[in-house]
Amino acid sequence: MENTKELRTWLDDMNLDHPLVIAGPCSAETEEQVLKIAHELKDSDVSYFRAGIWKPRTRPGMFEGVGEIGLRWLKKVKEETGMKTCTEVANAAHVKLAIENDVDLLWIGARSTVSPFIMQEIADALAGTDKIVLVKNPVNPDLALWLGGIERLYTAGIKNLGAIHRGFSTYEKTKYRNTPEWQLAIEFQNKFPDLPLINDPSHITGNREMIQEVSQTALDLNFDGLMVETHFDPANAWSDAAQQVTPTKLKSIMEDLTIKKLTDTAASYREPLESLRAQINVVDDQLIDLLGKRMQVADKIGGLKKEQNVAVLQSRRWNEILGKMVLEGDGKGLSEEFILKLFKAIHQESINHQEKIING
Ligand code: PEP
Ligand code: MN
């Protein structure tokens, strides 16, 4: 992809003075539900109304979407509210129906982005349209696979493109439904700074209480917009009930978000600074997480040493680690003095952990 600036023309042409907002229910359930939510969202910052028509569900036997009839409801949304519409497409047949029914923007779900065959099928089906197409990240944290999917669309001649960051699935349970791995989104932006990048706090958090916080982090990291699942009765939604917010709540979230404006000269300093600080915060969180994991391993070693009645301090091993870390640190521009201080502190903490296990 050479001229990524042209890929964002669709967004620049909207001339928004706030981030792009896409909102609407996880799934279209009934005509009344779709229209009620759309009318409640009408007078807000929402530009695109979303609703899943074909729903990818983890296990069979759950509600899998209303199918084609939902596209007619989306048409009504457009006629009655003036909002543009969008839905997820997962194969060539979906693309054909969505185009026939005048859906304005199509997104490709995380479970489709993982499959180069599906991405190619969708790209071929879309060839020649000027629809806006947003590609969600794949479920696994694989930047190349995400970019590869976008490239397939670009190669098929689709020039109104963007990406949606919806987090990544992990085996370990975390406070997120899908961990954001913000550094991956940052890398994405560094590679294609002009490609519109939208954040999906709903699927990242899986929890409506965390939507505000994740949305703010996304805006601090210069995301171009948000996609937020919205339902008038979230708790009784037919899918993703825990993460949807009411239209009223969405409006208050939007009001409370700090949105950076390119107004005065000081902003040219403050804005990059805020964004860099947000990146630092992400890295610091990872550091703490890693240190915590290191100490868990130290605890296990403490357990083994206790069983075998072996001394905590193993000087030879410790000197090997230090020497290796000084060398590796040098390769990353970190001074010997810093590495020695850092690893002595880490080592001391490990010893304290092991002592506790052995003596306590
Ligand atoms: C959705 O947006 O409703 C959806 C199914 O998302 P994802 O592909 O991110 O799981
Ligand atoms: Mn959903």
Side-chain angles (χ1 to χ4, degrees):
M1 296 193 296
E2 293 105 47
N3 182 11
T4 49
K5 268 214 156 62
E6 76 173 323
L7 304 181
R8 64 176 299 119
T9 313
W10 65 271
L11 181 58
D12 293 340
D13 285 352
M14 291 176 74
N15 271 318
L16 297 172
D17 62 356
H18 55 75
L20 175 75
V21 187
I22 301 171
C26 176
S27 305
E29 298 166 4
T30 64
E31 180 170 350
E32 296 68 38
Q33 172 247 17
V34 166
L35 289 170
K36 182 168 159 64
I37 298 168
H39 278 280
E40 289 182 22
L41 287 172
K42 189 171 59 171
D43 301 310
S44 69
D45 286 349
V46 176
S47 305
Y48 283 89
F49 181 83
R50 65 151 281 157
I53 301 294
W54 301 282
K55 298 304 299 176
R57 304 308 298 275
T58 304
R59 301 185 60 187
M62 294 191 269
F63 172 63
E64 294 195 317
V66 293
E68 193 177 345
I69 192 175
L71 295 171
R72 266 175 266 151
W73 307 340
L74 284 182
K75 248 191 196 163
K76 273 204 175 165
V77 167
K78 196 164 15 181
E79 285 159 14
E80 292 186 16
T81 70
M83 276 188 288
K84 294 195 168 164
T85 57
C86 56
T87 199
E88 172 177 346
V89 289
N91 59 37
H94 295 167
V95 169
K96 187 165 173 283
L97 287 168
I99 291 177
E100 279 170 12
N101 283 280
D102 247 352
V103 178
D104 300 288
L105 178 156
L106 311 175
W107 83 81
I108 293 161
R111 294 162 193 77
S112 302
T113 313
V114 287
S115 164
F117 290 129
I118 287 289
M119 286 308 295
Q120 194 57 51
E121 176 181 323
I122 295 173
D124 292 342
L126 280 166
T129 76
D130 56 1
K131 295 288 175 199
I132 300 161
V133 185
L134 305 181
V135 181
K136 286 203 175 194
N137 65 255
V139 282
N140 53 325
D142 185 336
L143 184 59
L145 195 58
W146 193 5
L147 294 174
I150 296 169
E151 276 163 359
R152 281 176 201 278
L153 296 170
Y154 181 78
T155 308
I158 294 138
K159 294 290 150 66
N160 295 321
L161 282 173
I164 303 176
H165 170 235
R166 53 75 85 192
F168 303 90
S169 123
T170 52
Y171 173 66
E172 277 174 51
K173 287 274 161 275
T174 72
K175 66 174 175 169
Y176 300 102
R177 178 179 177 192
N178 293 291
T179 56
E181 306 290 353
W182 293 107
Q183 77 289 352
L184 209 140
I186 292 165
E187 211 180 306
F188 183 100
Q189 282 178 319
N190 288 342
K191 281 213 162 78
F192 295 105
D194 296 314
L195 199 64
L197 182 58
I198 314 295
N199 185 257
D200 173 348
S202 306
H203 291 90
I204 288 178
T205 62
N207 170 358
R208 63 184 133 269
E209 302 306 325
M210 291 163 69
I211 301 286
Q212 174 100 41
E213 170 197 330
V214 165
S215 301
Q216 186 64 61
T217 301
L219 296 187
D220 292 343
L221 291 171
N222 296 333
F223 276 71
D224 294 287
L226 301 168
M227 182 194 249
V228 186
E229 286 188 341
T230 315
H231 194 295
F232 60 82
D233 184 9
N236 290 306
W238 296 4
S239 59
D240 288 350
Q243 68 196 32
Q244 305 204 52
V245 293
T246 62
T248 313
K249 177 67 186 170
L250 178 65
K251 289 177 203 169
S252 95
I253 288 175
M254 298 311 301
E255 265 169 34
D256 291 345
L257 287 173
T258 310
I259 296 161
K260 293 165 282 173
K261 287 204 177 72
L262 293 158
T263 44
D264 56 43
T265 49
S268 64
Y269 162 72
R270 253 196 356 265
E271 284 175 9
L273 184 70
E274 269 168 30
S275 151
L276 291 168
R277 283 184 174 155
Q279 293 185 35
I280 290 269
N281 290 347
V282 169
V283 176
D284 284 353
D285 282 346
Q286 290 176 316
L287 282 175
I288 294 293
D289 194 41
L290 281 174
L291 287 169
K293 285 199 179 120
R294 194 189 194 281
M295 294 311 151
Q296 283 173 6
V297 178
D299 286 344
K300 287 193 187 135
I301 293 181
L304 277 176
K305 286 178 179 167
K306 182 178 184 170
E307 274 176 25
Q308 303 302 324
N309 203 22
V310 172
V312 166
L313 182 62
Q314 301 286 317
S315 301
R316 180 134 47 89
R317 159 91 180 134
W318 169 233
N319 283 323
E320 272 171 21
I321 295 182
L322 261 192
K324 188 162 166 276
M325 289 303 118
V326 167
L327 274 181
E328 292 201 359
D330 189 50
K332 303 250 183 242
L334 305 171
S335 72
E336 179 171 347
E337 186 199 8
F338 170 67
I339 294 289
L340 290 178
K341 261 195 211 151
L342 178 68
F343 273 88
K344 280 182 184 162
I346 291 176
H347 188 230
Q348 186 57 55
E349 182 73 5
S350 284
I351 289 178
N352 296 349
H353 269 250
Q354 294 188 22
E355 293 275 21
K356 237 194 225 156
I357 299 275
I358 290 170
N359 301 322

